[in-house]
Amino acid sequence: MQGLLKMGERCANENKDNDQNNIELEQKDSKGRKDGNKKVKLLHKAPKVQKHGVCYLSRIPPRLKPLKLRHLLSSFGEVLRIYLVPEDPAIRMRRKRAGGNSGKNFTEGWVEFSKKSDAKRVATMLNGEQMGGKKRSAYYYDLWNIKYLRKFNWDNLTEEIAYRNAVRDQKLAAEISAAKRERDFYLARVDQSRAIKAIEERKNKRKEATGESEDIQANNLVPPGRIEKIVRHFTQRKSAINPSAELRPRLAPEVLAEVFGRKSTT
């Protein structure tokens, strides 16, 4: 009986292992199918993206928002994506302080249509024409400034935006480094000027102290109406040789007498 039970347990364990292996294989197959489906979808999307058309708007009227622009252009074709460049924040702040429109305006933009034919038709039909709409709208009398971009995809726009952002970051980094150098140079000059001022103050204090002491000495020693004669005394070193020893003859007197006596006889 025990042998039969052990055999049954082994068979059950083997069946569990087989089931787990089958589940893992099914998961791998499903993952592979999903990855393959993604690749196939991307490959199918590539030719569709090439059929899209992009138009460029060189001027965006004030108070015109992307949602309203989509509403205006959707009647001429299917609009996929819209990108509008916001204006400089400094210009917006100046307009606010002057009492003008406090809303967010845009300077230029790009519109992507699902078909190139729609984009070309919109550019040729609307460029230079009045926007129209309701007369109460703020951009009723504005004109369309739209142009079709030939051989231009939305990916080119994202690359250009990334390039502009990188250039802007580099300019900001260069300006910040230049400002730091100017600040360091200014602080170094300030410290140098403080040190020079401190030296001059110490010199002036010394001059004032020496001038007061000279005035005190002059008032104590020199009577009024007289000019004191300044006499300088210099310390001299004593000579190592005795001056009286230099005058004495170095030869014996007998030798000198013989020399001079012989000369006198000749």
Side-chain angles (χ1 to χ4, degrees):
M1 290 293 292
Q2 291 179 357
L4 291 171
L5 291 172
K6 288 181 180 179
M7 288 289 291
E9 289 177 358
R10 286 177 186 175
C11 293
N13 292 328
E14 288 177 358
N15 292 328
K16 286 181 181 178
D17 294 336
N18 292 327
D19 293 337
Q20 288 179 357
N21 292 329
N22 292 328
I23 291 166
E24 289 177 358
L25 290 171
E26 288 177 359
Q27 288 177 354
K28 288 180 181 179
D29 292 337
S30 63
K31 286 181 181 178
R33 287 173 186 171
K34 286 180 182 178
D35 295 337
N37 291 331
K38 286 181 181 178
K39 291 178 181 178
V40 170
K41 286 180 181 178
L42 290 173
L43 290 172
H44 284 302
K45 283 183 179 180
K48 291 182 181 179
V49 171
Q50 291 178 359
K51 294 179 181 179
H52 299 169
V54 180
C55 290
Y56 172 68
L57 298 170
S58 61
R59 180 183 175 275
I60 305 298
R63 300 180 183 178
L64 181 62
K65 302 298 185 287
L67 187 62
K68 185 64 178 177
L69 181 62
R70 181 183 289 274
H71 176 70
L72 292 173
L73 294 176
S74 60
S75 59
F76 302 100
E78 185 182 358
V79 179
L80 297 178
R81 286 177 283 192
I82 295 175
Y83 175 71
L84 302 181
V85 180
E87 64 179 349
D88 190 4
I91 297 172
R92 185 181 178 188
M93 288 299 295
R94 285 199 296 270
R95 188 175 68 252
K96 276 185 178 181
R97 289 171 184 172
N101 179 24
S102 61
K104 188 176 182 180
N105 295 334
F106 302 92
T107 56
E108 57 182 355
W110 289 263
V111 181
E112 185 185 22
F113 290 89
S114 61
K115 296 180 181 179
K116 288 183 180 180
S117 58
D118 294 340
K120 291 178 183 178
R121 182 166 51 83
V122 167
T124 54
M125 186 171 58
L126 295 182
N127 188 29
E129 297 295 329
Q130 186 177 347
M131 283 191 174
K134 294 182 180 180
K135 289 187 178 181
R136 290 178 293 177
S137 64
Y139 37 86
Y140 176 79
Y141 295 101
D142 287 308
L143 302 178
W144 287 102
N145 294 316
I146 187 168
K147 181 182 179 181
Y148 172 71
L149 300 177
R150 186 169 172 270
K151 294 182 180 180
F152 188 86
N153 296 326
W154 197 260
D155 295 336
N156 303 126
L157 177 61
T158 55
E159 290 174 1
E160 186 179 357
I161 291 168
Y163 175 73
R164 287 183 181 179
N165 291 334
V167 171
R168 184 187 62 186
D169 294 339
Q170 288 179 357
K171 286 182 180 179
L172 286 173
E175 290 176 359
I176 289 168
S177 63
K180 285 182 179 179
R181 286 196 298 271
E182 290 179 359
R183 184 197 62 186
D184 296 338
F185 178 76
Y186 174 74
L187 293 175
R189 290 295 182 183
V190 168
D191 295 337
Q192 189 176 0
S193 65
R194 286 177 180 172
I196 291 168
K197 284 181 181 179
I199 292 167
E200 290 178 354
E201 288 177 358
R202 286 197 295 269
K203 284 183 180 179
N204 292 330
K205 285 180 181 179
R206 288 175 186 172
K207 285 180 181 179
E208 290 176 359
T210 53
E212 288 177 358
S213 61
E214 288 177 357
D215 293 338
I216 291 167
Q217 289 177 1
N219 291 328
N220 292 333
L221 299 175
V222 181
R226 270 192 201 178
I227 298 170
E228 185 184 4
K229 200 182 247 186
I230 298 169
V231 180
R232 287 185 167 184
H233 299 281
F234 298 96
T235 57
Q236 296 182 355
R237 295 180 180 177
K238 295 181 179 180
S239 60
I241 302 169
N242 192 1
S244 59
E246 291 181 358
L247 299 174
R248 294 177 185 175
R250 294 182 181 178
L251 296 173
E254 297 175 354
V255 177
L256 292 172
E258 287 180 359
V259 173
F260 288 111
R262 286 177 186 174
K263 285 182 181 179
S264 63
T265 55
T266 55

